[in-house]
Amino acid sequence: MATAVADVRHAPVGLIHLSLAVGGFAIGTTEFATMSLLPDMARSLHVDAPTAGHVISAYALGVVVGAPTLAVLGARMARRTLLIALMTLFAVGNLLSALAPSYATMMLARFVAGLPHGAYFGIAMLVAASLVEQRKRTQAVARVMLGLTVATIVGVPLANFMGQVLGWRSCFVVVTALAALTATLVAAFAPRDRGDPAASPLRELGALRRAQVWLTLGIGAIGFGGMFAVYTYLADTMAAVTQVGPRLVPFALMSFGVGMTLGNIVVPRFADRALLPTAAAVLVWALVALLLWPLAAPHLWSVLLAMFAIGVSGALGSVLQTRLMDVAGDAQALAAALNHSAFNTANALGPWLGGMVIAAGYGWTSTGYVGAALAVCGLAVLGVSAAVERSSARRTLARA
């Protein structure tokens, strides 16, 4: 295990968690607000809307590449120092995004901005969990995630409003300032720790030899996909099926964000008592909510309720983060960071499958059935994980 963080008497645990959550707020704002600013960005960079959409893919690619790479390279660094470095890189990437003069430079800037995303969340959650009792780890992890979920309620609408009034570049300027604020808060309040001299890139890569690490990542990469299958096509579904104007779409997005936030407050309390059963319960919740989506889509009131329910299933991320802490052994940093690579894999898988069934003529609401199928697959992977764990426990008892 990596060296635990040092004495924290100089700062209350809640203040440290808040400092880390500010970084999550900055990341959530830039990740989700960029989608709503694409039309203005496309006009400014002189490309069409589908081409402009590739900047989102560039950011996601940065997350997938950066999460394991930076976690492995920073294995021996003090966690406080690594968090400051990651937020500084994030600030640079968003400042370059604000200043990008062309589409090509914007693609590069978004890739750079995505690099520290997964590693920051992974390390921040390890720090947050190390400051509390074992039985409260998932709640600590969820407090960091609250920064991201609150961003979907507050940060994204404000960024969208600023983008309309001051131009899309202003969003990235604000995110740059938030990243700088996070680095300052972490420097001021995060516990001063020493790097683990026994850590090494090779030891971190050892996590990839553990079957339970891969199974846990699989639960997230597949089970999360259903949420994104519906979320990605929400605006189009509301226009074609609910038959409401675009001005009402933000209310559905906010309902989703409220569900995610409340889910991350309530669900971790159960996960700290029974981790795998809670993960299964969240996936079953997601399955039911996604199955009901086609029935909810024709009416605005039911759309809001359905998006809230689907948002609650986002709490699975905090649950799986704690699961990775349990199964990663002494390769904590890489495993924690990879959780966010899995999350972004789901962000690609869900919309891709949803787009396929829509293109095949099954209608906008068919994304709900795609999402339900992915939830079932996530449950199946979880079942395999539980079965492997039970089998391993029985073998250990037999040898004792």
Side-chain angles (χ1 to χ4, degrees):
M1 296 287 289
T3 302
V5 291
D7 180 24
V8 296
R9 286 174 295 180
H10 63 287
V13 171
L15 185 56
I16 299 171
H17 285 172
L18 176 62
S19 301
L20 298 172
V22 173
F25 182 84
I27 290 173
T29 298
T30 192
E31 183 176 23
F32 290 100
T34 303
M35 301 177 190
S36 65
L37 297 172
L38 279 180
D40 294 334
M41 197 182 301
R43 286 190 293 270
S44 176
L45 298 175
H46 309 293
V47 295
D48 57 27
T51 302
H54 293 163
V55 303
I56 296 173
S57 300
Y59 182 90
L61 179 62
V63 177
V64 173
V65 171
T69 303
L70 296 180
V72 167
L73 292 177
R76 290 185 177 177
M77 291 178 66
R79 288 175 178 174
R80 174 178 174 274
T81 303
L82 182 55
L83 286 171
I84 294 170
L86 291 168
M87 265 296 119
T88 301
L89 178 59
F90 183 70
V92 169
N94 280 281
L95 181 59
L96 291 174
S97 301
L99 300 174
S102 66
Y103 172 72
T105 53
M106 186 63 176
M107 287 285 286
L108 177 61
R110 296 316 294 155
F111 177 78
V112 171
L115 287 173
H117 175 133
Y120 174 81
F121 269 122
I123 302 302
M125 289 172 180
L126 289 176
V127 171
S130 72
L131 301 175
V132 300
E133 303 170 69
Q134 181 86 356
R135 61 187 178 87
K136 294 184 177 180
R137 289 178 306 156
T138 311
Q139 295 174 61
V141 164
R143 290 190 192 108
V144 179
M145 280 296 291
L146 279 176
L148 188 148
T149 62
V150 170
T152 64
I153 304 171
V154 179
V156 174
L158 284 178
N160 184 262
F161 175 76
M162 287 186 61
Q164 294 178 28
V165 175
L166 301 175
W168 61 268
R169 295 179 188 273
S170 64
C171 168
F172 298 110
V173 172
V174 171
V175 172
T176 301
L178 287 170
L181 174 62
T182 302
T184 303
L185 291 173
V186 169
F189 301 120
R192 295 179 179 273
D193 61 314
R194 294 180 298 275
D196 183 359
S200 69
L202 189 61
R203 192 180 80 174
E204 290 296 325
L205 289 171
L208 302 181
R209 294 196 298 267
R210 299 173 180 268
Q212 286 290 5
V213 169
W214 284 107
L215 287 169
T216 304
L217 293 173
I219 296 168
I222 299 170
F224 256 130
M227 183 176 73
F228 288 111
V230 170
Y231 187 92
T232 301
Y233 300 102
L234 176 62
D236 292 306
T237 303
M238 290 182 69
V241 181
T242 318
Q243 296 186 341
V244 296
R247 292 184 180 180
L248 292 176
V249 173
F251 291 99
L253 297 176
M254 289 178 66
S255 182
F256 175 86
V258 171
M260 280 193 73
T261 300
L262 290 180
N264 271 284
I265 292 173
V266 176
V267 171
R269 297 180 182 275
F270 296 96
D272 279 327
R273 299 170 190 166
L275 192 64
L276 285 183
T278 301
V282 173
L283 283 168
V284 171
W285 174 284
L287 169 62
V288 174
L290 291 162
L291 282 174
L292 291 174
W293 174 242
L295 299 176
H299 311 287
L300 180 60
W301 66 269
S302 52
V303 164
L304 297 178
L305 289 176
M307 290 309 298
F308 173 86
I310 293 171
V312 169
S313 67
L316 181 65
S318 298
V319 179
L320 295 180
Q321 193 81 57
T322 304
R323 172 66 173 171
L324 283 169
M325 292 179 190
D326 290 339
V327 300
D330 55 6
Q332 294 282 306
L334 176 59
L338 282 173
N339 193 38
H340 299 276
S341 292
F343 188 85
N344 277 269
T345 300
N347 195 3
L349 178 64
W352 177 61
L353 293 175
M356 286 180 62
V357 296
I358 292 170
Y362 291 99
W364 294 105
T365 60
S366 61
T367 55
Y369 298 126
V370 170
L374 288 171
V376 170
C377 292
L379 278 167
V381 178
L382 189 150
V384 172
S385 177
V388 169
E389 188 168 78
R390 286 194 299 269
S391 176
S392 177
R394 282 196 297 268
R395 286 197 300 270
T396 301
L397 286 173
R399 288 195 298 265

